[in-house]
PDB file of all heavy atoms in Angstrom:
ATOM      1  N   GLY A  20      43.191 -41.156-190.370  1.00 93.00           N
ATOM      2  CA  GLY A  20      41.820 -41.223-189.933  1.00 93.00           C
ATOM      3  C   GLY A  20      41.264 -39.720-189.779  1.00 93.00           C
ATOM      4  O   GLY A  20      41.908 -38.862-189.869  1.00 93.00           O
ATOM      5  N   MET A  21      39.825 -39.833-189.537  1.00 94.00           N
ATOM      6  CA  MET A  21      39.176 -38.525-189.364  1.00 94.00           C
ATOM      7  C   MET A  21      37.908 -38.769-188.592  1.00 94.00           C
ATOM      8  O   MET A  21      37.293 -39.897-188.445  1.00 94.00           O
ATOM      9  CB  MET A  21      38.725 -38.003-190.733  1.00 94.00           C
ATOM     10  CG  MET A  21      37.810 -38.963-191.586  1.00 94.00           C
ATOM     11  SD  MET A  21      37.149 -37.997-192.978  1.00 94.00           S
ATOM     12  CE  MET A  21      35.447 -37.604-192.156  1.00 94.00           C
ATOM     13  N   LEU A  22      37.405 -37.694-187.984  1.00 94.00           N
ATOM     14  CA  LEU A  22      36.075 -37.809-187.228  1.00 94.00           C
ATOM     15  C   LEU A  22      34.988 -37.762-188.244  1.00 94.00           C
ATOM     16  O   LEU A  22      35.076 -36.926-189.257  1.00 94.00           O
ATOM     17  CB  LEU A  22      35.974 -36.603-186.282  1.00 94.00           C
ATOM     18  CG  LEU A  22      34.735 -36.526-185.409  1.00 94.00           C
ATOM     19  CD1 LEU A  22      34.884 -37.648-184.249  1.00 94.00           C
ATOM     20  CD2 LEU A  22      34.642 -35.220-184.719  1.00 94.00           C
ATOM     21  N   GLY A  23      34.033 -38.548-188.171  1.00 92.00           N
ATOM     22  CA  GLY A  23      32.903 -38.709-189.133  1.00 92.00           C
ATOM     23  C   GLY A  23      31.555 -38.706-188.339  1.00 92.00           C
ATOM     24  O   GLY A  23      31.385 -39.516-187.465  1.00 92.00           O
ATOM     25  N   ALA A  24      30.672 -37.707-188.719  1.00 90.00           N
ATOM     26  CA  ALA A  24      29.332 -37.782-188.213  1.00 90.00           C
ATOM     27  C   ALA A  24      28.198 -38.001-189.307  1.00 90.00           C
ATOM     28  O   ALA A  24      27.069 -38.037-189.073  1.00 90.00           O
ATOM     29  CB  ALA A  24      28.964 -36.618-187.383  1.00 90.00           C
ATOM     30  N   TRP A  25      28.652 -37.884-190.588  1.00 94.00           N
ATOM     31  CA  TRP A  25      27.856 -37.880-191.741  1.00 94.00           C
ATOM     32  C   TRP A  25      27.920 -39.410-192.262  1.00 94.00           C
ATOM     33  O   TRP A  25      28.343 -39.731-193.276  1.00 94.00           O
ATOM     34  CB  TRP A  25      28.119 -37.018-192.880  1.00 94.00           C
ATOM     35  CG  TRP A  25      27.903 -35.571-192.271  1.00 94.00           C
ATOM     36  CD1 TRP A  25      27.555 -35.184-191.023  1.00 94.00           C
ATOM     37  CD2 TRP A  25      27.911 -34.402-193.145  1.00 94.00           C
ATOM     38  NE1 TRP A  25      27.449 -33.704-191.080  1.00 94.00           N
ATOM     39  CE2 TRP A  25      27.634 -33.339-192.287  1.00 94.00           C
ATOM     40  CE3 TRP A  25      28.244 -34.195-194.532  1.00 94.00           C
ATOM     41  CZ2 TRP A  25      27.555 -32.017-192.799  1.00 94.00           C
ATOM     42  CZ3 TRP A  25      28.260 -32.874-194.957  1.00 94.00           C
ATOM     43  CH2 TRP A  25      28.024 -31.771-194.160  1.00 94.00           C
ATOM     44  N   VAL A  26      27.349 -40.305-191.277  1.00 95.00           N
ATOM     45  CA  VAL A  26      27.381 -41.823-191.771  1.00 95.00           C
ATOM     46  C   VAL A  26      25.953 -42.348-191.664  1.00 95.00           C
ATOM     47  O   VAL A  26      25.234 -41.970-190.678  1.00 95.00           O
ATOM     48  CB  VAL A  26      28.368 -42.581-190.755  1.00 95.00           C
ATOM     49  CG1 VAL A  26      28.354 -44.027-191.200  1.00 95.00           C
ATOM     50  CG2 VAL A  26      29.752 -41.971-190.769  1.00 95.00           C
ATOM     51  N   SER A  27      25.586 -43.131-192.544  1.00 95.00           N
ATOM     52  CA  SER A  27      24.359 -43.655-192.564  1.00 95.00           C
ATOM     53  C   SER A  27      24.209 -45.061-193.171  1.00 95.00           C
ATOM     54  O   SER A  27      24.978 -45.336-194.123  1.00 95.00           O
ATOM     55  CB  SER A  27      23.314 -42.877-193.251  1.00 95.00           C
ATOM     56  OG  SER A  27      22.045 -43.469-193.379  1.00 95.00           O
ATOM     57  N   GLN A  28      23.395 -46.002-192.618  1.00 95.00           N
ATOM     58  CA  GLN A  28      23.228 -47.327-193.334  1.00 95.00           C
ATOM     59  C   GLN A  28      22.501 -47.087-194.603  1.00 95.00           C
ATOM     60  O   GLN A  28      21.519 -46.310-194.632  1.00 95.00           O
ATOM     61  CB  GLN A  28      22.419 -48.288-192.360  1.00 95.00           C
ATOM     62  CG  GLN A  28      22.351 -49.662-193.015  1.00 95.00           C
ATOM     63  CD  GLN A  28      21.732 -50.621-192.066  1.00 95.00           C
ATOM     64  OE1 GLN A  28      21.636 -50.488-190.922  1.00 95.00           O
ATOM     65  NE2 GLN A  28      21.378 -51.858-192.592  1.00 95.00           N
ATOM     66  N   ALA A  29      22.964 -47.738-195.612  1.00 95.00           N
ATOM     67  CA  ALA A  29      22.388 -47.508-197.005  1.00 95.00           C
ATOM     68  C   ALA A  29      21.690 -48.681-197.434  1.00 95.00           C
ATOM     69  O   ALA A  29      20.650 -48.552-198.235  1.00 95.00           O
ATOM     70  CB  ALA A  29      23.479 -47.105-197.967  1.00 95.00           C
ATOM     71  N   THR A  30      22.168 -49.855-197.235  1.00 96.00           N
ATOM     72  CA  THR A  30      21.549 -51.158-197.747  1.00 96.00           C
ATOM     73  C   THR A  30      21.451 -52.141-196.742  1.00 96.00           C
ATOM     74  O   THR A  30      22.271 -52.276-195.808  1.00 96.00           O
ATOM     75  CB  THR A  30      22.367 -51.695-199.016  1.00 96.00           C
ATOM     76  OG1 THR A  30      23.774 -51.809-198.521  1.00 96.00           O
ATOM     77  CG2 THR A  30      22.369 -50.769-200.168  1.00 96.00           C
ATOM     78  N   PHE A  31      20.464 -53.121-196.862  1.00 96.00           N
ATOM     79  CA  PHE A  31      20.431 -54.311-196.130  1.00 96.00           C
ATOM     80  C   PHE A  31      21.210 -55.546-196.562  1.00 96.00           C
ATOM     81  O   PHE A  31      21.911 -56.256-195.912  1.00 96.00           O
ATOM     82  CB  PHE A  31      18.836 -54.880-196.003  1.00 96.00           C
ATOM     83  CG  PHE A  31      18.125 -53.895-195.068  1.00 96.00           C
ATOM     84  CD1 PHE A  31      16.864 -53.336-195.573  1.00 96.00           C
ATOM     85  CD2 PHE A  31      18.530 -53.484-193.743  1.00 96.00           C
ATOM     86  CE1 PHE A  31      16.067 -52.521-194.853  1.00 96.00           C
ATOM     87  CE2 PHE A  31      17.819 -52.675-192.895  1.00 96.00           C
ATOM     88  CZ  PHE A  31      16.622 -52.073-193.578  1.00 96.00           C
ATOM     89  N   ASN A  32      21.003 -55.635-197.937  1.00 95.00           N
ATOM     90  CA  ASN A  32      21.743 -56.883-198.632  1.00 95.00           C
ATOM     91  C   ASN A  32      22.286 -56.453-199.881  1.00 95.00           C
ATOM     92  O   ASN A  32      21.625 -56.110-200.906  1.00 95.00           O
ATOM     93  CB  ASN A  32      20.626 -58.041-199.053  1.00 95.00           C
ATOM     94  CG  ASN A  32      21.211 -59.187-199.353  1.00 95.00           C
ATOM     95  OD1 ASN A  32      22.394 -59.441-199.179  1.00 95.00           O
ATOM     96  ND2 ASN A  32      20.452 -60.007-200.106  1.00 95.00           N
ATOM     97  N   PRO A  33      23.671 -56.359-199.974  1.00 95.00           N
ATOM     98  CA  PRO A  33      24.559 -56.705-198.825  1.00 95.00           C
ATOM     99  C   PRO A  33      24.502 -55.489-197.790  1.00 95.00           C
ATOM    100  O   PRO A  33      24.063 -54.290-198.163  1.00 95.00           O
ATOM    101  CB  PRO A  33      25.960 -56.623-199.436  1.00 95.00           C
ATOM    102  CG  PRO A  33      25.720 -55.712-200.611  1.00 95.00           C
ATOM    103  CD  PRO A  33      24.375 -55.877-201.148  1.00 95.00           C
ATOM    104  N   PRO A  34      24.921 -55.713-196.564  1.00 96.00           N
ATOM    105  CA  PRO A  34      24.911 -54.569-195.653  1.00 96.00           C
ATOM    106  C   PRO A  34      25.855 -53.532-196.022  1.00 96.00           C
ATOM    107  O   PRO A  34      26.971 -53.901-196.329  1.00 96.00           O
ATOM    108  CB  PRO A  34      25.453 -55.266-194.199  1.00 96.00           C
ATOM    109  CG  PRO A  34      26.277 -56.472-194.811  1.00 96.00           C
ATOM    110  CD  PRO A  34      25.392 -56.977-195.974  1.00 96.00           C
ATOM    111  N   GLY A  35      25.225 -52.353-196.163  1.00 96.00           N
ATOM    112  CA  GLY A  35      26.175 -51.140-196.715  1.00 96.00           C
ATOM    113  C   GLY A  35      26.016 -49.914-195.969  1.00 96.00           C
ATOM    114  O   GLY A  35      24.826 -49.770-195.408  1.00 96.00           O
ATOM    115  N   ILE A  36      27.003 -49.118-196.018  1.00 97.00           N
ATOM    116  CA  ILE A  36      26.810 -47.659-195.540  1.00 97.00           C
ATOM    117  C   ILE A  36      27.248 -46.576-196.332  1.00 97.00           C
ATOM    118  O   ILE A  36      27.939 -46.860-197.528  1.00 97.00           O
ATOM    119  CB  ILE A  36      27.676 -47.570-194.214  1.00 97.00           C
ATOM    120  CG1 ILE A  36      29.099 -47.808-194.518  1.00 97.00           C
ATOM    121  CG2 ILE A  36      27.213 -48.627-193.166  1.00 97.00           C
ATOM    122  CD1 ILE A  36      30.030 -47.430-193.345  1.00 97.00           C
ATOM    123  N   THR A  37      26.872 -45.434-196.149  1.00 97.00           N
ATOM    124  CA  THR A  37      27.348 -44.295-196.900  1.00 97.00           C
ATOM    125  C   THR A  37      28.181 -43.306-195.972  1.00 97.00           C
ATOM    126  O   THR A  37      27.630 -43.160-194.836  1.00 97.00           O
ATOM    127  CB  THR A  37      26.271 -43.422-197.683  1.00 97.00           C
ATOM    128  OG1 THR A  37      25.242 -42.955-196.594  1.00 97.00           O
ATOM    129  CG2 THR A  37      25.667 -44.295-198.749  1.00 97.00           C
ATOM    130  N   VAL A  38      29.170 -42.815-196.395  1.00 96.00           N
ATOM    131  CA  VAL A  38      30.023 -41.837-195.611  1.00 96.00           C
ATOM    132  C   VAL A  38      30.222 -40.482-196.436  1.00 96.00           C
ATOM    133  O   VAL A  38      30.620 -40.664-197.631  1.00 96.00           O
ATOM    134  CB  VAL A  38      31.318 -42.443-195.287  1.00 96.00           C
ATOM    135  CG1 VAL A  38      32.095 -41.478-194.274  1.00 96.00           C
ATOM    136  CG2 VAL A  38      31.028 -43.795-194.425  1.00 96.00           C
ATOM    137  N   ALA A  39      30.049 -39.458-196.003  1.00 95.00           N
ATOM    138  CA  ALA A  39      30.342 -38.150-196.586  1.00 95.00           C
ATOM    139  C   ALA A  39      31.624 -37.555-196.131  1.00 95.00           C
ATOM    140  O   ALA A  39      31.851 -37.470-194.907  1.00 95.00           O
ATOM    141  CB  ALA A  39      29.236 -37.166-196.448  1.00 95.00           C
ATOM    142  N   ILE A  40      32.616 -37.284-197.012  1.00 95.00           N
ATOM    143  CA  ILE A  40      33.923 -37.016-196.768  1.00 95.00           C
ATOM    144  C   ILE A  40      34.134 -35.703-197.502  1.00 95.00           C
ATOM    145  O   ILE A  40      34.180 -35.579-198.681  1.00 95.00           O
ATOM    146  CB  ILE A  40      34.872 -38.044-197.060  1.00 95.00           C
ATOM    147  CG1 ILE A  40      34.587 -39.308-196.424  1.00 95.00           C
ATOM    148  CG2 ILE A  40      36.346 -37.502-196.754  1.00 95.00           C
ATOM    149  CD1 ILE A  40      35.445 -40.463-196.785  1.00 95.00           C
ATOM    150  N   ALA A  41      34.645 -34.657-196.830  1.00 92.00           N
ATOM    151  CA  ALA A  41      35.070 -33.345-197.399  1.00 92.00           C
ATOM    152  C   ALA A  41      36.397 -33.649-198.295  1.00 92.00           C
ATOM    153  O   ALA A  41      37.135 -34.322-198.098  1.00 92.00           O
ATOM    154  CB  ALA A  41      35.461 -32.336-196.351  1.00 92.00           C
ATOM    155  N   LYS A  42      36.351 -32.818-199.467  1.00 91.00           N
ATOM    156  CA  LYS A  42      37.334 -33.098-200.459  1.00 91.00           C
ATOM    157  C   LYS A  42      38.673 -32.929-200.002  1.00 91.00           C
ATOM    158  O   LYS A  42      39.712 -33.473-200.610  1.00 91.00           O
ATOM    159  CB  LYS A  42      37.014 -32.258-201.704  1.00 91.00           C
ATOM    160  CG  LYS A  42      35.744 -32.697-202.491  1.00 91.00           C
ATOM    161  CD  LYS A  42      35.522 -31.748-203.637  1.00 91.00           C
ATOM    162  CE  LYS A  42      34.426 -32.358-204.534  1.00 91.00           C
ATOM    163  NZ  LYS A  42      34.172 -31.484-205.660  1.00 91.00           N
ATOM    164  N   ASP A  43      38.963 -32.073-198.848  1.00 90.00           N
ATOM    165  CA  ASP A  43      40.388 -31.814-198.593  1.00 90.00           C
ATOM    166  C   ASP A  43      40.653 -32.671-197.365  1.00 90.00           C
ATOM    167  O   ASP A  43      41.896 -32.446-196.843  1.00 90.00           O
ATOM    168  CB  ASP A  43      40.465 -30.234-198.173  1.00 90.00           C
ATOM    169  CG  ASP A  43      39.541 -29.952-197.042  1.00 90.00           C
ATOM    170  OD1 ASP A  43      38.690 -30.797-196.515  1.00 90.00           O
ATOM    171  OD2 ASP A  43      39.479 -28.709-196.609  1.00 90.00           O
ATOM    172  N   ARG A  44      39.946 -33.719-197.032  1.00 91.00           N
ATOM    173  CA  ARG A  44      40.457 -34.595-195.962  1.00 91.00           C
ATOM    174  C   ARG A  44      41.577 -35.465-196.432  1.00 91.00           C
ATOM    175  O   ARG A  44      41.496 -36.015-197.626  1.00 91.00           O
ATOM    176  CB  ARG A  44      39.248 -35.457-195.456  1.00 91.00           C
ATOM    177  CG  ARG A  44      38.072 -34.670-194.908  1.00 91.00           C
ATOM    178  CD  ARG A  44      38.491 -34.115-193.513  1.00 91.00           C
ATOM    179  NE  ARG A  44      37.306 -33.684-192.792  1.00 91.00           N
ATOM    180  CZ  ARG A  44      37.270 -33.245-191.563  1.00 91.00           C
ATOM    181  NH1 ARG A  44      38.331 -33.439-190.812  1.00 91.00           N
ATOM    182  NH2 ARG A  44      36.188 -32.850-191.009  1.00 91.00           N
TER     183      ARG A  44
END
């Protein structure tokens, strides 16, 4: 697991999100 603050809702249908993850995580 990791701490994440770069998260955003991306779509309504289907419900979707985007998450940004550093390459070395």
